[in-house]
Amino acid sequence: MGIFSLRRKLAADTGGLGTSLIALRLEAGDVAPVHSTVVVFNAGGHARRAAAGKVACEPGEMAVCFHPGPYTMHLTPFAAAPEWALRLRFVVDVANPRVEQQRFDLYLYSEMAERLDVTAFRASAQSALQIELAQGALDLPPCTSLEEWHAFRAGLNQLMYTRFGVTVDDCVPVDLGDQIDFADVLKARATEEAAAIAVSAAIAAPPPDQPSMAPVTPAGATRPDAAPATARQDAFGLRRLFLELPSLSGGLRVLVLPDGLPVFQQHQALLLRLGMAALNVNTMPSLAWAAPDQPLPHEEQARRTGQTLLAVQALDEAWALLARLQLAAHVQWPGLLDEADRICANLETGLAFRRAPYAPRTEPTL
């Protein structure tokens, strides 16, 4: 009769939610803890928020539960000075009724796998902060004056809200000299540099003399040169581009432009280029195939994945640029639009090389 085959579904582990865990994925029938918020995404990616309690999902929907916080983490602004950090306290605000999609909801749907803990979020936020400081978008000089600190805080607050959808509640500098193991820092830095070198080598790998004419692998079979990790990275990057480029374009479209025809024309050209980039992502060919009946070698798949990661890096820079444009004075717009042109060029180049089945040949020069 199958009575003894019925097993009770294990409850989701929500331990640490609100302290070390920011969000996690729930299934239908799970119970969200008190003081948490449930976000339900349908098959089209549209989100709706619900109160805590038993999760009810329709077929094809996905539910995520998050706690608004507050959370505290330490960010290292400069990689060369790990003993100096910023103690950041942030929260997830209630839904903003003036926008169609909450930025934090998009972040969860686009970048979270199963769980989002404070450690993983700290790594993403620290990387975004270090990139902005390295490029000069944010300024945190030695012996910072009060005016410079306020300007930095305004830029940091806007960056965190525009990029991740969280609100910074407090930020103070702290000394972590007694808590930092410099040997571990050097080991982690060496590992990151080795990974970056591997990605660069995959991108710069020379193309083969002739396309591969290996026999077609039957559906469902595993190819010997299959690389699940490479395929996952490529799929994750393309998914982010597919989901976030329309939202990024929407944020740029509602900006208040300064007076003048040149700025308006540059702004319209920027929106057109982002729209074409989104179309390019929507029609991107499969990673594992160069053409019908022509599987792509693993080396070229790694090169394609590297180009996807470069396009995702340009996407992150575009979100940071949107945060700067939201605070920019009218006289700053021409320079920021030039920066937008550079970011769009990097995005278009990465997508173009991702679409190409083989790396372009370069003739030797004297």
Side-chain angles (χ1 to χ4, degrees):
M1 296 175 60
I3 297 177
F4 298 101
S5 64
L6 298 178
R7 295 183 179 179
R8 187 175 182 179
K9 179 181 177 297
L10 296 178
D13 182 13
T14 58
L17 189 65
T19 54
S20 61
L21 183 64
I22 300 176
L24 77 159
R25 185 172 177 177
L26 298 179
E27 302 294 339
D30 290 334
V31 178
V34 183
H35 305 305
S36 64
T37 303
V38 177
V39 186
V40 181
F41 301 95
N42 62 13
H46 300 285
R48 68 177 188 273
R49 291 193 176 186
K54 190 173 182 179
V55 177
C57 294
E58 299 294 334
E61 291 185 335
M62 181 186 75
V64 175
C65 168
F66 73 86
H67 194 284
Y71 302 93
T72 302
M73 60 183 180
H74 292 100
L75 302 183
T76 304
F78 305 101
E83 72 281 359
W84 187 78
L86 298 173
R87 179 180 296 150
L88 201 72
R89 187 174 64 188
F90 66 93
V91 297
V92 182
D93 276 341
V94 296
N96 184 0
R98 295 178 297 176
V99 297
E100 181 179 358
Q101 185 178 35
Q102 308 301 318
R103 181 63 183 94
F104 185 71
D105 296 352
L106 177 62
Y107 174 73
L108 293 179
Y109 189 64
S110 176
E111 301 188 48
M112 191 190 82
E114 295 293 334
R115 302 166 69 89
L116 176 64
D117 54 23
V118 177
T119 302
F121 184 81
R122 171 191 170 275
S124 299
Q126 179 172 281
S127 176
L129 174 60
Q130 290 182 353
I131 291 174
E132 288 298 284
L133 288 170
Q135 294 181 349
L138 293 177
D139 190 19
L140 191 60
C143 302
T144 305
S145 64
L146 188 59
E147 292 77 10
E148 292 171 335
W149 175 254
H150 288 330
F152 170 77
R153 275 294 309 273
L156 176 63
N157 294 352
Q158 194 66 29
L159 172 66
M160 294 294 293
Y161 185 79
T162 305
R163 173 66 180 86
F164 303 103
V166 300
T167 301
V168 177
D169 182 49
D170 189 25
C171 178
V172 293
V174 293
D175 186 1
L176 301 179
D178 297 336
Q179 307 175 25
I180 296 298
D181 189 337
F182 289 93
D184 293 340
V185 172
L186 293 177
K187 290 179 182 178
R189 190 177 301 172
T191 303
E192 294 175 359
E193 291 178 356
I197 292 174
V199 172
S200 301
I203 296 173
D209 294 336
Q210 293 182 355
S212 173
M213 299 300 294
V216 180
T217 304
T222 302
R223 292 175 49 198
D225 60 343
T230 300
R232 284 195 299 268
Q233 286 182 336
D234 183 75
F236 178 77
L238 290 179
R239 184 175 184 272
R240 277 200 61 192
L241 291 165
F242 174 79
L243 293 173
E244 296 182 28
L245 278 177
S247 181
L248 174 65
S249 299
L252 290 170
R253 188 171 286 109
V254 299
L255 291 174
V256 179
L257 303 181
D259 297 333
L261 183 61
V263 173
F264 174 78
Q265 291 176 335
Q266 287 182 280
H267 181 258
Q268 292 300 305
L270 175 63
L271 293 177
L272 178 61
R273 294 173 69 181
L274 288 177
M276 295 302 296
L279 178 62
N280 196 356
V281 173
N282 297 348
T283 59
M284 191 63 67
S286 174
L287 174 69
W289 299 93
D293 297 340
Q294 292 186 14
L296 198 63
H298 170 62
E299 293 76 11
E300 289 299 325
Q301 294 185 35
R303 180 197 61 81
R304 272 184 161 181
T305 301
Q307 297 298 333
T308 301
L309 297 180
L310 291 180
V312 171
Q313 181 180 351
L315 174 67
D316 292 338
E317 293 182 4
W319 279 115
L321 178 65
L322 175 60
R324 296 166 61 189
L325 286 171
Q326 291 170 343
L327 298 178
H330 288 181
V331 295
Q332 297 175 315
W333 269 78
L336 292 178
L337 288 177
D338 291 340
E339 182 73 8
D341 181 71
R342 178 191 66 83
I343 294 174
C344 275
N346 291 340
L347 176 64
E348 293 165 346
T349 302
L351 293 178
F353 283 121
R354 167 58 180 84
R355 177 175 291 273
Y358 298 100
R361 292 184 178 275
T362 55
E363 297 296 335
T365 57
L366 297 178

